[in-house]
Amino acid sequence: MTQDRRQFLARAGSLLYTVAGASAWLTPAEARTQGADLRVLDPARVRTLEAFGEILVPGATAAGIAHFVDSQLAVDPNDSLLVTRLFNIEPPYGRFYTGVLDALEALSRLGRPASPARLPRDPQRCRRCRLWHGRGLSQTRRALHGAHRAAQPLVMRRWPGTTHRS
Amino acid sequence: MARDHAQVVIVGAGAAGSVFAAVLAEAGRDVRVLESGPPRRLSDLYSSQIWGRRLKWAEPHVAEATRDSVWFNLNAGRGYGGAATHHFAVWPRYHADDFKLHSSFGKGLDWPIEYADLQPWYDRVQEEVGIAGDAEAEVWRPPGAPYPLPPVPRFVQGQVLARGFEAAGLRVAPIPVAVLTRPYKGRPACIWDGWCEAGCPTGALANPLATYLPRATAAGAKLQAGCHVTRVLTDAKGQRAIGVEYVDTAGARHELAADVVVLAAFGVENVRLLLNSATTAHAAGLANSSGMVGRYLTSHPSVMTFGLFDADLQNHMGLSGGQIFSHEHWTKTGRPGAFGSRQYEAAMAIKPNDLLGIAMTRAELFHRDLERFMQRAVRGLGQMTAVCEDQPIAANRIEPDSRRDAHGLPLARIHYTTSPDGMGLWHAAVADSERIMKAAGAMEVWHGPKVAQHIMGGTIMGSDPAASVTDSYGRTHDVGNLFVAGGGLFPTTSAVNSTYTIHALALRAAVHLRDGWAGLTR
């Protein structure tokens, strides 16, 4: 059987998941569609992460953002492929991710009209998304920075050993 | 507690440590290299920025005390090859005026050596490793042997941005890189697919896995991965280093006795080790009678500038470090109120994702706007980077934090604020870079945030033992058989990438130790 380069690369991105009690090498997208076990993130945080990912990049949910992040939170930090490694964020990274997801959820309820987990599929057509993000779609950077800053005290309170920089 | 012996123990298997290991092992010395990270071969590297994240530290290491940052995690590396495994291999030389800032300009510090002292070692390293460039085109280049390899090819992005420099009245030259433009000493030529920052798996880029580590192991040096050194051990009087203490991956503590100890564990970790090796005789930390251990931490304030062109720039091709560069803004006093030099690198290979990828260049975009931008930028995005000189400030320092890592070492608490001169140069570089991009024909131009490239200082060399940590060979003033290697030795930053100078200094010091062994190990 021959493969083209893109097919090879797609398989090269496979990670080890557990489906119905059996281990399998799957892409994050396959892991999602096959209902692979999640090891760190609970369903509420998965919904928040998928909604947030979908706002950033259409198709993030179907690509398996939650299963990718979850799988990398579950491994030894030295083997992790998360972008947190590029910053001065102290492992275990689950502290950071769950803290920020909780902060995003909390932030969305503080004077904002919608939870990120309940946002519609096309956020650019949605006024609520604009409000949730801050003062407009073009200022997402500021909104994300604000969310990150808002997350810090929550993360610190919840996980006192955590250090990170904005 | 197990204890064994080597003539030389080297802490860290990166750029500097690998040079020491090769030179001393080839001289017949019994060399042991202790590396905190994992063992790694070229075949373990993947052309993927996501996989390349594994080359970074994951363990808690640094606590930052200031708003400015030296971006430790981005700059450092772990495992065989160290930070040089993910470096871009841009290898210009320091200029002569970088070595005498204080005596020539009344700014910063002086090195205990001049360019002429280092020139033969630059020449020797470039012959051993293979550097590609065009010495004649570099009209600013200090004296030195011509490059052994022809320059990197200029793809469309390089041609377009070169026209921008030309229109702005600035000359450019092919960027000097430690990347092979043709096969050299058994290593293959580069295929220009632009994955340097993820770790070059072919061996065309001069990371230690392809250059000095194979030489070291072939000569009998023993590399031990997963060995986290926690202290340098000294004799009762504190006059000699007698070895190191380390913890293995199982948590077992060991002592390795040695005649000579070389700390080559990256600038931040070297400081942490010296401070953690305090004894009654060295209450403020080992080799710290001057109080200078940890001081004069510096970095290069840098900025990436982007331009969107209505053309296919072939921007996926080439090298992470670029295709052309310029030292036309080198004159230290060329800009009132902002002393120092600037270097421009341009036409970097850019990939779609990750921190240095296309998507992150416009962090404010998301959803369909991001998708539309990506569709244009994946062919039309051009990039250049300005590297600015920073001035050494004693208050920029590393000190022990109150928290400790899993091995009991205090984290490195970093105080760093870019010098006023460095900030002035950075602002000037932003304006000039955008001017160059516009002159090249970009339809839209923007720049990224201030980033810190390369970490230097902390164990500076100098002539005065009261004002520096080591002599020009990295031999500590206080402990004669203890050497420090790497960028931590640099008293000043210049405006060029540091890895070439790290190699030249390490080769000079290793040969000095090899040839003066009897006297230096007493």
Side-chain angles (χ1 to χ4, degrees):
Chain A
M1 188 179 76
T2 60
Q3 285 187 320
D4 68 20
R5 183 170 173 276
R6 286 192 177 278
Q7 288 173 322
F8 171 79
L9 288 174
R11 298 310 312 172
S14 296
L15 301 165
L16 191 60
Y17 292 96
T18 303
V19 181
S23 297
W25 289 96
L26 302 170
T27 66
E30 291 168 339
R32 178 177 181 275
T33 55
Q34 295 182 28
D37 294 346
L38 292 161
R39 289 177 283 178
V40 177
L41 298 175
D42 60 30
R45 290 179 177 130
V46 166
R47 283 195 297 275
T48 302
L49 177 58
E50 289 183 340
F52 190 60
E54 201 65 33
I55 289 170
L56 292 176
V57 182
T61 302
I65 182 174
H67 277 82
F68 174 77
V69 171
D70 183 82
S71 73
Q72 298 308 306
L73 291 177
V75 300
D76 183 314
N78 287 303
D79 294 327
S80 174
L81 300 174
L82 292 169
V83 75
T84 39
R85 294 189 69 152
L86 304 182
F87 304 100
N88 190 28
I89 294 170
E90 186 175 321
Y93 300 131
R95 293 176 176 175
F96 180 79
Y97 274 81
T98 56
V100 169
L101 289 172
D102 290 352
L104 283 171
E105 189 66 32
L107 188 69
S108 72
R109 297 175 191 278
L110 291 174
R112 302 295 183 199
S115 157
R118 296 199 297 272
L119 291 172
R121 299 290 296 177
D122 188 354
Q124 268 170 333
R125 294 181 179 278
C126 172
R127 185 169 177 276
R128 287 192 308 166
C129 302
R130 292 167 185 254
L131 290 170
W132 181 74
H133 264 293
R135 297 176 187 168
L137 292 176
S138 65
Q139 297 182 20
T140 311
R141 187 206 300 262
R142 187 181 303 173
L144 288 175
H145 184 69
H148 192 205
R149 279 200 305 186
Q152 284 192 17
L154 191 148
V155 173
M156 294 297 189
R157 204 163 49 240
R158 191 168 179 134
W159 306 102
T162 302
T163 61
H164 62 275
R165 290 181 54 81
S166 59
Chain B
M1 183 180 291
R3 184 167 188 177
D4 58 0
H5 176 271
Q7 285 183 302
V8 185
V9 59
I10 299 168
V11 183
S18 64
V19 173
F20 267 90
V23 170
L24 295 174
E26 286 170 350
R29 297 295 170 192
D30 170 22
V31 175
R32 197 85 62 88
V33 183
L34 302 181
E35 165 59 43
S36 178
R40 191 173 285 128
R41 298 163 299 174
L42 284 176
S43 57
D44 296 325
L45 303 176
Y46 293 84
S47 294
S48 155
Q49 287 154 322
I50 292 176
W51 281 96
R53 294 170 186 169
R54 283 186 169 171
L55 304 177
K56 312 289 185 178
W57 278 91
E59 290 155 17
H61 214 73
V62 161
E64 295 185 278
T66 46
R67 185 168 179 79
D68 251 354
S69 171
V70 291
W71 295 51
F72 173 83
N73 285 56
L74 267 188
N75 283 298
R78 64 188 294 275
Y80 291 175
T85 303
H86 59 72
H87 91 303
F88 292 6
V90 176
W91 282 30
R93 300 175 183 221
Y94 266 52
H95 289 213
D97 56 5
D98 290 320
F99 293 84
K100 297 295 172 191
L101 282 196
H102 187 70
S103 53
S104 299
F105 302 101
K107 302 283 283 189
L109 302 167
D110 281 351
W111 292 54
I113 52 174
E114 299 183 356
Y115 176 78
D117 298 309
L118 207 52
Q119 181 195 328
W121 304 98
Y122 277 129
D123 289 347
R124 190 160 153 185
V125 168
Q126 80 172 15
E127 191 280 328
E128 291 185 358
V129 163
I131 299 183
D134 183 344
E136 287 190 16
E138 292 179 35
V139 294
W140 47 76
R141 187 177 188 251
Y147 294 113
L149 292 165
V152 298
R154 197 171 292 185
F155 299 100
V156 176
Q157 186 189 177
Q159 297 165 18
V160 169
L161 297 192
R163 288 199 289 271
F165 278 90
E166 187 181 342
L170 303 172
R171 289 168 292 187
V172 296
I175 196 164
V177 287
V179 176
L180 304 184
T181 49
R182 65 182 178 210
Y184 191 76
K185 298 193 175 183
R187 291 162 47 210
C190 180
I191 57 174
W192 314 114
D193 64 351
W195 288 109
C196 318
E197 69 168 294
C200 174
T202 70
L205 185 147
N207 77 49
L209 302 177
T211 55
Y212 290 97
L213 284 180
R215 276 177 50 183
T217 51
K222 287 179 65 178
L223 274 60
Q224 290 182 222
C227 298
H228 196 95
V229 174
T230 51
R231 281 193 304 151
V232 178
L233 305 172
T234 50
D235 63 12
K237 293 182 179 178
Q239 295 172 339
R240 285 177 46 81
I242 58 171
V244 298
E245 175 192 78
Y246 67 93
V247 180
D248 65 22
T249 51
R253 204 163 286 271
H254 305 260
E255 289 185 3
L256 173 57
D259 301 326
V260 173
V261 174
V262 180
L263 298 184
F266 201 72
V268 174
E269 189 70 7
N270 285 346
V271 169
R272 205 157 76 111
L273 279 173
L274 289 172
L275 295 178
N276 198 52
S277 302
T279 62
T280 305
H282 299 276
L286 195 57
N288 196 23
S289 64
S290 64
M292 289 295 118
V293 170
R295 297 278 174 179
Y296 294 112
L297 185 71
T298 50
S299 186
H300 288 129
S302 305
V303 62
M304 288 182 284
T305 300
F306 306 95
L308 197 56
F309 294 79
D310 186 19
D312 184 352
L313 299 185
Q314 299 177 347
N315 57 12
H316 61 292
M317 296 182 70
L319 301 167
S320 298
Q323 298 165 33
I324 54 175
F325 88 129
S326 178
H327 282 186
E328 288 276 53
H329 285 166
W330 191 269
T331 306
K332 304 281 188 197
T333 54
R335 188 171 184 87
F339 176 86
S341 301
R342 283 178 276 163
Q343 170 181 268
Y344 300 108
E345 307 160 22
M348 290 79 182
I350 321 174
K351 303 301 178 182
N353 60 10
D354 217 77
L355 194 63
L356 300 180
I358 293 170
M360 284 301 291
T361 67
R362 292 286 302 274
E364 79 279 16
L365 296 180
F366 66 97
H367 208 66
R368 302 293 176 202
D369 288 342
L370 176 60
E371 195 173 28
R372 281 190 285 270
F373 168 72
M374 291 289 286
Q375 286 171 348
R376 295 170 67 201
V378 74
R379 288 185 172 79
L381 187 67
Q383 182 188 343
M384 61 180 288
T385 298
V387 180
C388 302
E389 185 167 352
D390 195 14
Q391 288 303 309
I393 298 171
N396 283 341
R397 66 192 186 278
I398 304 164
E399 60 186 16
D401 191 54
S402 58
R403 295 184 306 131
R404 294 174 180 268
D405 67 13
H407 309 300
L409 263 76
L411 303 188
R413 186 166 183 78
I414 292 182
H415 300 255
Y416 174 77
T417 301
T418 300
S419 66
D421 283 311
M423 281 309 306
L425 292 171
W426 186 86
H427 285 295
V430 169
D432 288 332
S433 298
E434 293 193 346
R435 183 167 59 92
I436 292 164
M437 273 291 177
K438 288 173 185 167
M443 299 177 297
E444 298 173 33
V445 174
W446 69 99
H447 67 85
K450 179 168 76 71
V451 297
Q453 283 192 26
H454 320 118
I455 297 175
M456 295 154 282
T459 51
I460 61 167
M461 60 166 63
S463 303
D464 182 0
S468 58
V469 179
T470 81
D471 68 11
S472 73
Y473 297 100
R475 187 188 192 201
T476 63
H477 295 303
D478 297 350
V479 183
N481 65 335
L482 173 63
F483 287 73
V484 177
L489 297 172
F490 294 12
T492 63
T493 71
S494 182
V496 300
N497 318 58
S498 51
T499 306
Y500 190 13
T501 303
I502 287 172
H503 275 78
L505 286 174
L507 185 59
R508 177 175 180 267
V511 170
H512 176 70
L513 177 56
R514 180 195 69 190
D515 296 345
W517 180 267
L520 294 169
T521 56
R522 273 203 301 269

